[in-house]
Amino acid sequence: MKRKLLALILAMALGLTACGGGDAASQDDAAEEQPDAVQIEEPEVQTANYTVVESQPYSEGMAWVVYRDEDGTTYTGAMDKEGKVRFCIQGEAVATTPFEDGQAYIETEDGLLLVDEDGLVYDFSSHMADGLRAYGGGYAVVYRTVNDIMEGRTTSHILVDSTGAERTLAHQVSTDGYASKGCFRGGNSGTYYVPRADLWLSDAAAEAGLPMWFPQSYVIGDYAILYDVQYVHGGIPDNNGDLHLLYAGKDDTEATFLDTSALPELSNLAYADVSITTEKTDCGLVCVEYSSTTLDGAEHSGTYFLDLENGTFLTYDGEYADLSFKDTFSVGDGRIALELTGRDSMTYLLMVDRQLNELSEPIQVCYARENFIVDSYGIVSESGFYDLEGNQISDGSFANLDLLSSLVGDGTVKTGEGVYCDYTGQQLFENIDASGAQRLA
């Protein structure tokens, strides 16, 4: 009816114009007397209702959600910070990984998918005839078993990249599932395989004349690292009693062997207790704490900071050098937060640059070792939310701060299944929108 009424009004107006009667003034009067244009009501777009079953924290702007549509069909999808599910796969019996360097994995009973924020990058399923060992960093490690009447039963471990190219590995890889940054642990402890450099750290150690077995091995951020603290055997120091430390990762094309002979606290050792912080470090700057005795009887204790990007040891000799240091956190713009423990048993964060120059006064975070998270978005502790200058953003009353590790990520807080807020408590969106989600399988 409204369309017919508008058409009639337009026809009348055109008719008056065609008659041409009257001067410009009378035309203006007629225009003023014309009724207001009738607005055409567009039909409402019906949006589907989605029930969120489970949701994960954000990572690099994307969060995994499990949801059901109006028909009761369940999907697992990747959602952006506007609440839009960009792509999905049917079912909830899948394993997903956080987005890392722009990519994530979906593991199902039938295969393994590598995705980016726009959808499928590569499907590894056709390579998994015998089984899957591990995946990460844009790669997957599968195994294949061959029976031969003369050779017997042999199993090969194959690296597959995101183009489908295969490489047979010289050693076995352990069944770890997801391996952050694609640093794969060897089947025997004490080594890692770094696919970007096609490098086994144990092989690199042997070529350098170092011990074949390292008691300490970790993935630290972008790097796999091995180090040896077993210096004394029967009272006689092995390998001149030096600290043996080897690492590779990120953009490395070969292993880096750190020469500690110039550091009196870490060379010519009769005894040493060395620990390298690995729990939360994400910036490639690690804290090395040592307590050592050299062969001449001199005793040493203290802290170095090892920069894995260039293989240099740094010392912090500022005002707070006597306090205990722990983890290091990247907070963006070249800044690093050093976790330190004050003599008041409070945990503080000291903002520094990569050369350990102080950029702020220490920021009080929490008491002792209470849970907290710090990133480029701010600081979250059990007492609330703070900016990187220590100013309180919110008391955190809108969130369950006892579960920081599962609730917080990428500057957001999950306050319910599918419900996300920023650090001020402002809800990001009301409902998820999966109407335009691309189906992967």
Side-chain angles (χ1 to χ4, degrees), residues 105 134-141 158-161 167 169 173 179-185 192-201 222 224 248-250 252-253:
Y105 290 85
Y135 50 89
Y139 302 90
V141 178
I158 315 281
L159 180 79
V160 186
D161 66 21
R167 179 192 304 160
L169 301 181
V173 168
S180 175
K181 301 294 185 178
C183 293
F184 298 107
R185 185 184 294 273
Y192 279 93
Y193 176 67
V194 182
R196 282 169 288 188
D198 189 17
L199 178 70
W200 288 91
L201 289 186
D222 290 294
K250 204 170 184 179
D252 295 337
T253 57

Side-chain angles (χ1 to χ4, degrees), residues 6 8 11 44 65 72 97 156 171 184 192 259 269 274 283 293 317 330 349 352 355 381 406 421:
L6 179 59
L8 178 60
E44 294 184 2
V65 291
T97 70
S156 299
H171 307 291
F184 298 107
Y192 279 93
D259 182 5
L269 300 169
V274 176
C283 57
T293 302
D317 55 5
S330 175
L349 292 175
V352 299
Q355 289 72 46
S381 75
S406 62
C421 301

Side-chain angles (χ1 to χ4, degrees), residues 299-318:
E299 296 182 353
H300 307 274
S301 63
T303 299
Y304 281 112
F305 286 92
L306 169 60
D307 191 338
L308 295 174
E309 288 191 356
N310 52 34
T312 58
F313 284 95
L314 305 172
T315 56
Y316 169 73
D317 55 5

Side-chain angles (χ1 to χ4, degrees), residues 141-216:
V141 178
V142 301
Y143 66 91
R144 301 204 182 115
T145 302
V146 176
N147 296 314
D148 184 270
I149 190 171
M150 298 299 294
E151 300 295 332
R153 184 181 178 89
T154 59
T155 299
S156 299
H157 287 228
I158 315 281
L159 180 79
V160 186
D161 66 21
S162 58
T163 68
E166 295 188 356
R167 179 192 304 160
T168 300
L169 301 181
H171 307 291
Q172 293 186 349
V173 168
S174 64
T175 308
D176 285 341
Y178 178 57
S180 175
K181 301 294 185 178
C183 293
F184 298 107
R185 185 184 294 273
N188 298 320
S189 62
T191 189
Y192 279 93
Y193 176 67
V194 182
R196 282 169 288 188
D198 189 17
L199 178 70
W200 288 91
L201 289 186
S202 57
D203 292 349
E207 291 175 3
L210 300 181
M212 288 294 292
W213 180 77
F214 284 75
Q216 308 293 336

Side-chain angles (χ1 to χ4, degrees), residues 66-96:
V66 178
Y67 61 93
R68 294 192 184 99
D69 62 16
E70 292 176 318
D71 299 326
T73 305
T74 302
Y75 301 91
T76 298
M79 178 177 67
D80 62 23
K81 284 193 174 181
E82 295 179 351
K84 295 181 179 179
V85 179
R86 297 192 181 182
F87 57 88
C88 64
I89 184 170
Q90 186 170 333
E92 60 182 310
V94 299
T96 57

Side-chain angles (χ1 to χ4, degrees), residues 89-90 93-95 106-113 125 128 132:
I89 184 170
Q90 186 170 333
V94 299
I106 304 174
E107 183 181 3
T108 71
E109 294 180 354
D110 301 321
L112 179 71
L113 306 179
S125 302
M128 296 166 50
L132 175 68

Side-chain angles (χ1 to χ4, degrees), residues 280-284 328-337 354 374-376:
K280 300 175 182 176
T281 298
D282 64 353
C283 57
T328 59
F329 306 86
S330 175
V331 293
D333 297 328
R335 295 176 298 166
I336 292 172
R354 203 164 190 92
V374 57
D375 58 21
S376 59

